[in-house]
Amino acid sequence: MHSKRKNKSLTHVAVIAATACLLAACSSKPETADIQKDLAEVYACPIIELSDVKKVDGADVGGKLYDVAFTHTVSIKGGKEAAAKLFAEWSFLLSQVKPAQLEYEHIEDEVARRNSALRYNSGVVTGETKDDPAVKAAFERVQQMRSRMVAIMPCENMEVVTRLHSMRGTAEEAVNSGQQQIPVPIAIKISGSGRMGKAESGWHFTGMPNLTMVEIVSSEPMTYPSFKPLIAPPQAPTAAELDPPPAKLAAVDATPSDAASAPVPQGPSFDCAKATTQIEKMICADPKLAQADAATVALYKTALAASVNPDGFKQGQTNWRKNVRDACADAACLSRAYQERQRELK
């Protein structure tokens, strides 16, 4: 009887130990559930769905490390209707935002030219270019488009963005074919591999796994939705609005020929009157550097208009300005920095 109680007690202890080991992730190798848990973080996005995760191979490499190979599928939530709406509107916005950005820059330049002419030819005090109604309307149009792009495609992880780009490209090719009924990309089959390490919380990838697209899965053909501009494009200032008033020009001390030949100042992208740092003052003091700054910012704005990740692109420009441009100690360094940045932006 005593022996039976002892065996029963040992069995109970073994069950408790096994349960504790299971809860503590004592598995000797990663399983599909471990892979799926980490992939869920990789594909974290409200419009994406992860499914069909399957471990297909693995090998122990020692030191609580394990190499795994796996497959999985990434789909658009909501099926073909949601996918068609997403890709159609996304492509439409991409086709609109760059022209809108260029239109905004054109209006901004025209208003700045008008203000400069008024200040330097007529002595008229003007407001900030950005406060001009036409400039504000053009800027608002661009911002509304960008906000809408973020709303329909709220994914921040680059892996997700890359996969969605592939699907959108396939959809766009189909749309450009001119057919009325078009297959809708709804999912991507992906194969992957990576190294997982064992921790107290279980098995986790030690780095970003290698992921390769195997196949884009499309639904049966359907009609893609169409979209209209969010708001009407702003009207550029007329020639009459841009030309300084004749009465003001007559009040200038200079002769008409002097006024007509007065050069419009060529400056950097910022207001030299508000320059505070040594770098900004150096740029303002050198016409070539001022022109290089203006050209670089113009290229940046054009590239930003075409970017699908404007926040990341803006951060990249900020990092370049702080860590490259502002690290220069002389004009030669600044000139090289601008030249290299322009090559990157083209």
Side-chain angles (χ1 to χ4, degrees):
M1 182 67 70
H2 178 72
S3 176
K4 288 183 179 180
R5 284 200 301 269
K6 183 177 181 181
N7 289 339
K8 185 176 181 181
S9 177
L10 289 174
T11 301
H12 183 63
V13 170
V15 170
I16 293 175
T19 303
C21 184
L22 182 62
L23 293 175
C26 289
S27 174
S28 61
K29 59 183 179 180
E31 302 296 344
T32 293
D34 300 303
I35 298 172
Q36 180 160 351
K37 182 173 60 177
D38 272 20
L39 286 180
E41 296 182 8
V42 172
Y43 293 109
C45 177
I47 64 172
I48 289 295
E49 192 169 44
L50 174 67
S51 63
D52 301 330
V53 180
K54 182 180 179 182
K55 175 186 170 185
V56 295
D57 199 3
D60 189 346
V61 293
K64 295 184 178 180
L65 297 174
Y66 206 93
D67 287 343
V68 294
F70 53 91
T71 59
H72 59 284
T73 300
V74 176
S75 309
I76 303 294
K77 287 183 179 178
K80 66 177 184 178
E81 287 79 11
K85 184 176 184 298
L86 168 66
F87 297 133
E89 186 172 8
W90 188 3
S91 294
F92 170 77
L93 288 170
L94 285 177
S95 71
Q96 295 291 307
V97 71
K98 188 170 184 178
Q101 177 71 30
L102 294 175
E103 179 67 15
Y104 159 64
E105 292 173 7
H106 170 70
I107 293 175
E108 186 180 42
D109 290 343
E110 290 297 304
V111 171
R113 182 181 70 81
R114 176 199 65 190
N115 290 347
S116 294
L118 288 171
R119 284 196 303 270
Y120 289 92
N121 295 340
S122 311
V124 176
V125 178
T126 61
E128 294 283 346
T129 300
K130 63 182 178 64
D131 294 328
D132 184 271
V135 174
K136 291 173 71 174
F139 178 77
E140 178 64 21
R141 182 168 180 251
V142 174
Q143 290 303 103
Q144 284 199 26
M145 290 182 181
R146 293 195 184 284
S147 296
R148 182 57 189 164
M149 287 180 71
V150 172
I152 67 171
M153 215 279 287
C155 309
E156 297 181 358
N157 187 294
M158 188 53 65
E159 182 62 35
V160 177
V161 173
T162 300
R163 300 307 170 194
L164 287 173
H165 258 301
S166 299
M167 297 172 76
R168 185 190 64 80
T170 299
E172 200 166 78
E173 288 179 7
V175 170
N176 292 337
S177 68
Q179 301 177 38
Q180 293 296 321
Q181 296 287 310
I182 304 165
V184 182
I186 56 175
I188 294 184
K189 293 184 178 181
I190 299 171
S191 65
S193 62
R195 178 160 294 180
M196 304 191 80
K198 189 176 182 181
E200 290 185 2
S201 58
W203 289 91
H204 300 282
F205 285 110
T206 58
M208 182 66 187
N210 298 316
L211 303 173
T212 304
M213 182 177 69
V214 175
E215 177 188 2
I216 293 180
V217 180
S218 296
S219 72
E220 64 275 12
M222 65 172 289
T223 302
Y224 272 63
S226 58
F227 295 89
K228 295 180 179 180
L230 297 176
I231 55 177
Q235 295 296 319
T238 64
E241 293 173 326
L242 290 171
D243 288 335
K248 292 292 183 180
L249 287 175
V252 181
D253 292 335
T255 63
S257 59
D258 290 336
S261 61
V264 176
Q266 298 292 323
S269 61
F270 54 89
D271 188 349
C272 284
K274 299 179 181 179
T276 56
T277 68
Q278 186 62 33
I279 291 293
E280 290 176 342
K281 293 176 181 178
M282 193 185 306
I283 294 169
C284 290
D286 189 325
K288 290 184 178 180
L289 289 178
Q291 186 177 10
D293 179 83
T296 302
V297 171
L299 286 171
Y300 161 72
K301 289 181 178 179
T302 301
L304 177 64
S307 174
V308 297
N309 183 17
D311 290 338
F313 201 81
K314 289 177 183 177
Q315 186 60 50
Q317 180 73 358
T318 299
N319 292 341
W320 169 82
R321 188 172 62 250
K322 289 181 178 179
N323 301 325
V324 179
R325 191 198 73 171
D326 291 357
C328 285
D330 54 41
C333 175
L334 279 172
S335 180
R336 287 193 301 272
Y338 278 123
Q339 289 174 9
E340 291 173 1
R341 184 57 175 162
Q342 288 175 23
R343 282 195 293 269
E344 293 172 356
L345 293 170
K346 288 180 180 178

